[in-house]
Amino acid sequence: MSGIAQTVSCIDGYDPEALRVDKAGEAIRACLVPVTGTERVPVRAALGRVLAQEIVPQIDVPGHDNSAMDGWAVGSKDFSFAKEIQLLEIGKALAGKPFSGSVGAGECVRVMTGAVMPQGTDSVVVQEICRVAGGKIGIPPGQKAGQNVRAAGEDLKAGVAVLQPGQLLRAAELGLIASLGLGELSVKRRLRVAFFSTGDELASIGAPLKPGEVYDSNRYTLHGMLAGLGVEITDMGVVRDDPVLLEAAFRKAAAGADAIITTGGVSVGEADFVKQLMAKLGEVLFWKIAMRPGRPMAFGRIGNAFLFGLPGNPVAVMVTFYQFVRDALLFLGGRTDSFEIPLLNAVSAASIRKVPGRTEYQRGVVYRDGGAWKVRTTGQQGSGVLRSMSEANCFIVLEHERSAVQAGEPVQVQLFEGLL
Ligand code: AMP
Ligand code: MG
């Protein structure tokens, strides 16, 4: 037994003929090897990329104690009183324009938000509660030492690591890196993903439909799903069920990509060459997954590329992509933070048919009904009904052991929002 088959055989409860969704995910994860290459990019270009270095601040942010409000900076030793006190304003400090003197007892300095706290002060009294009269600033009683001041280093501390390799870089991380004055950083190289559709019945856009043909839609849904993952995409078009063409396509994809996604040709009893070729060119496992839609799926390796052989049905493509391929590609791309699709609890508005023994991903519409989240299915759930994905805003996840759902029962849903 070689690499992949051996790895998956160690998984408890591994059964290629009736593989539970969680076991399939586990099996894939156990075989994957994340990319290691890195590149340096300017801060803006790092958006959506995976960090490849630790970020350790060389400076405190903010660099000085500074005022959080507009008002007057005072020394808190002046606070021990029961009624209003009168302080003498001896100067002014603005953001970027510090006060250079020192503040003594009975004195204060006018400060604006972001101004460095003048020497001798530790608190700011907001301007709205002060009384300016006769050249003096009246401060009411009840002030607290240290109030309205942002401490140096309260955001980021010099020497204390703030970001780790494997983190997704979002808007907040870009700003955070910029706040340290860093102009560029090291990110993981982009994962290269090649895909093609297989099937003799597939026509490409632009060609007239011959009898029995359908337009290839899978490459477009795949393009859309992959675009959201920040990977480098190579669309290799439609490949006929012809062994010579298929072999050439697999070899080309394996030479240039880290992952290959195909659709079609992995069904049970499929009379085409896709399965044969996958098995010939690499180490590929053929699974019957206990799920609906998306029962047949191939997973393996051809050369250095991981292969995901998805079923042909348009809805099955999307379901298997979101349940397995998305996770695998993010992991391959070097993510080490958490990116599991969260589940939300909702109340089923109607009964749903379901038999135990497989996980179902019904297309649903989750909506707010008074104080509760409710969900209904989009109706027709055939795996060729791509409209059901378009009308849906979530998957209703009906667990492996679950039987029929009654109206009013809680169910779990995966929101599409954030997935695209
Ligand atoms: P298969 O998995 O190859 O048996 O295909 C299952 C069903 O999905 C068949 O009805 C195919 O016509 C359909 N199908 C396969 N590939 C595509 C595609 N790229 N676009 C649209 N429909 C497809
Ligand atoms: Mg086919």
Side-chain angles (χ1 to χ4, degrees):
M1 235 188 319
S2 45
I4 284 192
Q6 185 157 27
T7 305
V8 302
S9 69
C10 297
I11 288 167
D12 196 36
Y14 174 75
D15 175 5
E17 292 300 309
L19 193 58
R20 289 178 63 120
V21 168
D22 52 347
K23 294 293 166 191
E26 221 181 290
I28 293 171
R29 268 290 185 107
C31 298
L32 299 176
V33 185
V35 298
T36 52
T38 63
E39 57 180 317
R40 288 192 73 77
V41 294
V43 181
R44 283 193 190 91
L47 185 65
R49 304 294 298 270
V50 182
L51 186 61
Q53 65 172 103
E54 194 175 51
I55 300 282
V56 184
Q58 301 296 306
I59 54 170
D60 278 341
V61 179
H64 310 271
D65 291 351
N66 68 86
S67 178
M69 304 291 269
D70 295 343
W72 280 270
V74 303
S76 59
K77 53 194 173 314
D78 278 331
F79 286 166
S80 50
F81 53 86
K83 55 183 175 37
E84 185 186 278
I85 49 158
Q86 305 273 315
L87 300 179
L88 179 67
E89 181 186 305
I90 61 164
K92 205 158 134 181
L94 306 175
K97 294 210 167 53
F99 174 73
S100 52
S102 175
V103 181
E107 295 175 341
C108 65
V109 167
R110 179 81 171 122
V111 286
M112 294 298 160
T113 303
V116 173
M117 291 297 287
Q119 203 188 334
T121 69
D122 60 5
S123 311
V124 171
V125 184
V126 297
Q127 61 190 19
E128 289 79 2
I129 63 168
C130 296
R131 203 170 56 84
V132 183
K136 291 268 189 159
I137 312 300
I139 310 273
Q143 308 305 316
K144 291 191 177 60
Q147 69 184 17
N148 302 320
V149 175
R150 304 167 181 151
E154 79 169 21
D155 188 359
L156 304 173
K157 271 211 169 5
V160 179
V162 59
L163 298 177
Q164 292 299 324
Q167 273 188 261
L168 174 68
L169 295 164
R170 306 164 302 170
E173 285 74 33
L174 261 49
L176 198 145
I177 288 162
S179 78
L180 294 170
L182 300 176
E184 56 171 44
L185 57 151
S186 173
V187 297
K188 311 256 180 186
R189 75 164 173 81
R190 280 189 202 279
L191 196 72
R192 296 161 307 173
V193 180
F195 60 91
F196 54 90
S197 297
T198 70
D200 278 339
E201 77 281 30
L202 302 179
S204 290
I205 296 174
L209 275 187
K210 297 200 195 88
E213 287 188 339
V214 292
Y215 281 117
D216 169 17
S217 61
N218 288 344
R219 284 189 297 124
Y220 293 85
T221 34
L222 274 176
H223 174 91
M225 295 188 292
L226 287 166
L229 297 183
V231 298
E232 215 175 277
I233 300 173
T234 306
D235 181 342
M236 296 177 59
V238 173
V239 181
R240 310 246 140 241
D241 285 329
D242 170 317
V244 176
L245 297 177
L246 280 166
E247 177 159 353
F250 275 117
R251 287 194 190 281
K252 187 174 167 207
D258 304 299
I260 307 169
I261 304 173
T262 61
T263 68
V266 293
S267 307
V268 185
E270 183 86 20
D272 56 22
F273 307 100
V274 179
K275 278 201 281 193
Q276 289 169 32
L277 268 162
M278 285 178 176
K280 176 184 153 192
L281 297 175
E283 194 195 354
V284 180
L285 306 171
F286 297 92
W287 291 336
K288 293 189 186 101
I289 302 182
M291 70 189 294
R292 188 152 108 162
R295 187 158 176 263
M297 191 176 127
F299 169 71
R301 203 159 181 170
I302 296 182
N304 286 325
F306 288 97
L307 170 75
F308 301 88
L310 307 185
N313 274 307
V315 182
V317 168
M318 296 195 79
V319 172
T320 49
F321 183 93
Y322 283 130
Q323 303 312 320
F324 303 117
V325 185
R326 173 186 175 273
D327 181 272
L329 296 183
L330 293 176
F331 182 76
L332 280 176
R335 292 277 296 273
T336 55
D337 52 357
S338 160
F339 47 81
E340 204 178 325
I341 306 171
L343 290 161
L344 176 83
N345 288 315
V347 172
S348 185
S351 61
I352 307 175
R353 276 191 292 183
K354 163 77 167 68
V355 292
R358 64 183 183 217
T359 308
E360 289 195 13
Y361 297 88
Q362 301 224 353
R363 276 70 71 208
V365 177
V366 68
Y367 58 96
R368 192 95 178 153
D369 184 13
W373 286 107
K374 287 201 172 165
V375 67
R376 61 174 173 79
T377 72
T378 54
Q380 250 186 313
Q381 295 287 308
S383 63
V385 183
L386 191 53
R387 185 170 42 81
S388 69
M389 282 297 297
S390 174
E391 289 171 355
N393 63 8
C394 69
F395 287 124
I396 306 171
V397 183
L398 302 177
E399 301 84 351
H400 188 90
E401 319 291 356
R402 189 156 191 161
S403 50
V405 175
Q406 306 305 320
E409 266 184 45
V411 288
Q412 295 199 299
V413 304
Q414 280 176 337
L415 298 182
F416 290 171
E417 188 63 45
L419 274 188
L420 304 175

